[in-house]
Amino acid sequence: MDHSAVDMSVDLSAASGSPAAGGATVAAVLAVKSLHRAKSRLAATLASAFGHDDPTTRGWLVLAMFLDTVEALRGAGVSRVVVVSPDDDVLAAAQRAGTHGLPEVVSPPAGPGLNVAFGHGARWARETWPDSTRVVFVQADLPAATSDSMREVLQEAPAHRLSFLTDRDGTGTVLLHGTFTPDDPGALDDAPRFGPGSAAAHRAAGAVELDPAHTRWTDLRTDVDTATDLDAARALGLGPHTADALRRL
């Protein structure tokens, strides 16, 4: 894939490398699909708005949104970030962005999937950074996310062992936060329940919803899967990588 349409550099000067909140080091886990399969629901939007659509075009956009999500995390002081993906281009971009790229491992009978990838990343983070007592699973398509909102969420999340933030319509999940316990350090590996109806699934699993009135952190809640999502993110203000990618389409 030609990456010339996306600025792959990331300014890490805002990242202090210090814990995001609470005196505990946070490890962030992101999972990204193969770029050729990503964001098929945006195909009609790109074709209508720009006169063309192909997997490469969408791949540029996916990488750009991923980079803006990473910058929001790093700006919030999260220096330990691992990205799980089956795509070599994603893993290379992750390394260039100063994060750790981890090849997705498909283990039958679970097969591939977002939650399997998140669990794999959590295990790797726990083994690599044993002093990280907190993990945050973050959707990688949050182009309007700001470091201020990310920092605020990470400051409030430790009040509960397991907590989550919903998307704009309240049915999906954009972020899941958990704290490791000494007696069961692997408990969070199976905590992610991302996918259709994930908010209800996380709630049923005992996670506490952050801001259940949905009055805060609109930028973090705006993940992008459809034309409506992209318009909402534009209205809030896109991160520099996503804005640049769209200008180049």
Short mmCIF file of all heavy atoms in Angstrom, two decimals, residues 1 4 31 41 45 52 64 73 78 89 104 117 149 158 172 179 193 198 203 230 233 243:
data_model
loop_
_atom_site.label_atom_id
_atom_site.label_comp_id
_atom_site.label_asym_id
_atom_site.label_seq_id
_atom_site.Cartn_x
_atom_site.Cartn_y
_atom_site.Cartn_z
N MET A 1 0.84 -1.20 0.00
CA MET A 1 0.00 0.00 0.00
C MET A 1 0.87 1.24 0.00
O MET A 1 1.88 1.31 0.69
CB MET A 1 -0.91 0.00 1.23
CG MET A 1 -1.71 1.28 1.39
SD MET A 1 -2.89 1.16 2.75
CE MET A 1 -4.02 -0.06 2.08
N SER A 4 1.81 7.40 0.85
CA SER A 4 2.13 8.80 0.59
C SER A 4 0.97 9.74 0.89
O SER A 4 1.17 10.93 1.09
CB SER A 4 2.56 8.97 -0.86
OG SER A 4 1.50 8.58 -1.73
N ALA A 31 -6.85 -2.44 18.54
CA ALA A 31 -6.91 -3.52 17.56
C ALA A 31 -7.40 -2.95 16.24
O ALA A 31 -8.39 -2.21 16.21
CB ALA A 31 -7.82 -4.64 18.03
N ARG A 41 -18.38 0.09 5.23
CA ARG A 41 -19.61 0.88 5.32
C ARG A 41 -19.38 2.34 4.90
O ARG A 41 -20.33 3.09 4.68
CB ARG A 41 -20.17 0.83 6.74
CG ARG A 41 -20.66 -0.56 7.13
CD ARG A 41 -20.82 -0.72 8.62
NE ARG A 41 -21.86 0.15 9.16
CZ ARG A 41 -22.05 0.31 10.48
NH1 ARG A 41 -21.25 -0.30 11.34
NH2 ARG A 41 -23.02 1.09 10.91
N THR A 45 -19.94 6.50 0.92
CA THR A 45 -19.67 7.90 1.26
C THR A 45 -18.48 8.42 0.48
O THR A 45 -18.51 9.51 -0.09
CB THR A 45 -19.40 8.02 2.76
OG1 THR A 45 -20.55 7.60 3.47
CG2 THR A 45 -19.07 9.46 3.14
N HIS A 52 -14.71 8.38 -6.07
CA HIS A 52 -14.05 7.07 -6.16
C HIS A 52 -13.98 6.45 -4.78
O HIS A 52 -14.08 7.12 -3.77
CB HIS A 52 -12.64 7.21 -6.74
CG HIS A 52 -11.72 7.99 -5.85
ND1 HIS A 52 -10.96 7.42 -4.85
CD2 HIS A 52 -11.46 9.33 -5.79
CE1 HIS A 52 -10.26 8.36 -4.23
NE2 HIS A 52 -10.54 9.52 -4.78
N ALA A 64 -5.02 6.96 9.22
CA ALA A 64 -5.04 8.34 9.74
C ALA A 64 -5.83 8.42 11.03
O ALA A 64 -5.40 9.06 12.00
CB ALA A 64 -5.63 9.27 8.68
N LEU A 73 -4.05 9.50 23.04
CA LEU A 73 -3.55 8.71 24.16
C LEU A 73 -2.20 9.22 24.65
O LEU A 73 -2.00 9.43 25.85
CB LEU A 73 -3.41 7.24 23.76
CG LEU A 73 -4.69 6.42 23.70
CD1 LEU A 73 -4.48 5.14 22.91
CD2 LEU A 73 -5.17 6.08 25.11
N VAL A 78 -0.25 8.55 28.21
CA VAL A 78 -0.17 7.09 28.09
C VAL A 78 0.98 6.75 27.14
O VAL A 78 0.87 6.93 25.93
CB VAL A 78 -1.49 6.50 27.55
CG1 VAL A 78 -1.38 4.98 27.45
CG2 VAL A 78 -2.65 6.89 28.46
N ASP A 89 1.11 -3.51 7.20
CA ASP A 89 1.16 -2.06 7.04
C ASP A 89 0.73 -1.35 8.32
O ASP A 89 1.30 -0.32 8.69
CB ASP A 89 0.27 -1.62 5.88
CG ASP A 89 0.83 -2.02 4.53
OD1 ASP A 89 2.04 -1.86 4.33
OD2 ASP A 89 0.06 -2.50 3.69
N GLU A 104 -1.50 -10.14 15.01
CA GLU A 104 -2.67 -10.84 15.53
C GLU A 104 -2.46 -12.35 15.38
O GLU A 104 -2.05 -12.84 14.34
CB GLU A 104 -3.92 -10.42 14.78
CG GLU A 104 -5.20 -11.05 15.29
CD GLU A 104 -6.44 -10.53 14.59
OE1 GLU A 104 -6.35 -9.45 13.95
OE2 GLU A 104 -7.48 -11.18 14.68
N ALA A 117 -8.34 -10.25 19.56
CA ALA A 117 -7.15 -9.40 19.39
C ALA A 117 -6.91 -8.56 20.64
O ALA A 117 -5.77 -8.43 21.11
CB ALA A 117 -7.33 -8.50 18.17
N SER A 149 -9.94 15.08 26.90
CA SER A 149 -11.02 14.15 27.21
C SER A 149 -10.46 12.79 27.64
O SER A 149 -10.95 12.18 28.59
CB SER A 149 -11.94 13.98 26.00
OG SER A 149 -12.68 15.16 25.76
N PRO A 158 -10.59 4.76 37.26
CA PRO A 158 -10.13 3.88 38.34
C PRO A 158 -11.05 3.80 39.54
O PRO A 158 -10.82 3.00 40.44
CB PRO A 158 -8.77 4.48 38.73
CG PRO A 158 -8.33 5.26 37.55
CD PRO A 158 -9.59 5.81 36.96
N GLY A 172 -22.96 1.10 21.58
CA GLY A 172 -21.62 0.55 21.39
C GLY A 172 -20.66 1.04 22.46
O GLY A 172 -21.02 1.82 23.34
N THR A 179 -8.66 -2.68 35.94
CA THR A 179 -7.51 -2.72 36.83
C THR A 179 -7.17 -4.17 37.14
O THR A 179 -8.05 -4.96 37.48
CB THR A 179 -7.82 -1.98 38.15
OG1 THR A 179 -8.19 -0.64 37.86
CG2 THR A 179 -6.60 -1.99 39.07
N ARG A 193 -15.96 -6.95 25.30
CA ARG A 193 -17.18 -7.46 24.68
C ARG A 193 -17.58 -6.53 23.53
O ARG A 193 -18.74 -6.24 23.32
CB ARG A 193 -18.33 -7.51 25.70
CG ARG A 193 -18.08 -8.39 26.91
CD ARG A 193 -18.18 -9.87 26.55
NE ARG A 193 -18.19 -10.71 27.75
CZ ARG A 193 -17.11 -11.15 28.38
NH1 ARG A 193 -15.90 -10.78 27.93
NH2 ARG A 193 -17.20 -11.90 29.45
N SER A 198 -22.46 -3.86 22.41
CA SER A 198 -21.38 -4.05 23.39
C SER A 198 -21.62 -3.31 24.70
O SER A 198 -21.15 -3.75 25.75
CB SER A 198 -20.04 -3.62 22.79
OG SER A 198 -20.06 -2.25 22.46
N ARG A 203 -22.03 -3.96 30.38
CA ARG A 203 -22.81 -3.69 31.59
C ARG A 203 -23.20 -5.00 32.28
O ARG A 203 -23.09 -5.14 33.51
CB ARG A 203 -24.06 -2.87 31.23
CG ARG A 203 -24.73 -2.17 32.39
CD ARG A 203 -25.88 -1.32 31.90
NE ARG A 203 -25.46 -0.15 31.14
CZ ARG A 203 -25.67 0.00 29.83
NH1 ARG A 203 -26.29 -0.92 29.13
NH2 ARG A 203 -25.24 1.10 29.22
N LEU A 230 -18.76 10.17 10.23
CA LEU A 230 -17.69 11.02 9.71
C LEU A 230 -18.11 12.49 9.76
O LEU A 230 -17.31 13.36 10.12
CB LEU A 230 -17.33 10.61 8.29
CG LEU A 230 -16.14 11.33 7.64
CD1 LEU A 230 -14.89 11.16 8.49
CD2 LEU A 230 -15.91 10.81 6.23
N ALA A 233 -17.82 13.68 13.32
CA ALA A 233 -16.42 13.91 13.69
C ALA A 233 -15.90 15.21 13.07
O ALA A 233 -15.17 15.97 13.71
CB ALA A 233 -15.56 12.73 13.25
N ALA A 243 -7.74 14.76 8.97
CA ALA A 243 -8.03 15.94 8.15
C ALA A 243 -7.15 15.97 6.91
O ALA A 243 -7.61 16.24 5.79
CB ALA A 243 -7.85 17.21 8.97
#
